[in-house]
Amino acid sequence: MSDQSMPKVNAVFGATPEVEFQGAAPQGLRTVELVEGDGPVVRKGDTVTVNYHGLIWGTDKVFDSSFERHQPASFGIGVGQVIRGWDQSVPGHNVGSRLVVSIPPEYGYGSRGVPQAGIGGDDTLVFVIDIISTR
């Protein structure tokens, strides 16, 4: 599968993400590194600090964005503190990287979704993630 299936995103670390969808969501968990950082590599078990922008595939509906809050988020990665799609896609990338990740329900919030956030059980999620630091 080629990266053409993934949404177009501005490849500028730190800039508010602009996401443009084309076509249907790809199958499975997909990660594309738009900007390769030159900082330390994120490892499972690290505490990572990121800015992120989350949308439902094919919509302009942002359900959560630390960019919009101007407040990065920090959490343990690879240890079950966040959805599986994050735990499996962020480790192995460097600080300073911008990722775009397509997360199907089974790697996200499952068949229940998150009704209060407007996320349905069959929605594919898209996150743009800027990795700020890791420790």
Side-chain angles (χ1 to χ4, degrees), residues 6-127:
M6 292 292 279
K8 286 194 173 107
V9 178
N10 50 331
V12 181
F13 185 89
T16 300
E18 296 160 20
V19 180
E20 191 182 306
F21 292 98
Q22 46 224 357
Q27 294 299 304
L29 180 65
R30 301 265 299 137
T31 305
V32 175
E33 187 174 73
L34 297 172
V35 175
E36 185 179 354
D38 56 9
V41 172
V42 176
R43 301 193 191 289
K44 284 190 170 164
D46 284 1
T47 296
V48 68
T49 300
V50 299
N51 261 323
Y52 65 88
H53 197 67
L55 300 96
I56 295 168
W57 184 280
T59 74
D60 57 6
K61 183 180 177 320
V62 176
F63 59 81
D64 193 8
S65 174
S66 68
F67 283 97
E68 291 180 357
R69 286 193 300 276
H70 304 288
Q71 184 70 47
S74 298
F75 41 80
I77 196 72
V79 293
Q81 286 187 17
V82 290
I83 58 174
R84 231 173 74 193
W86 278 64
D87 275 348
Q88 293 190 13
S89 60
V90 175
H93 292 279
N94 299 61
V95 169
S97 296
R98 170 166 278 198
L99 312 176
V100 59
V101 185
S102 173
I103 301 178
E106 63 270 23
Y107 289 94
Y109 298 104
S111 58
R112 287 192 310 270
V114 184
Q116 64 271 30
I119 299 169
D122 56 0
D123 285 339
T124 292
L125 309 179
V126 173
F127 284 95

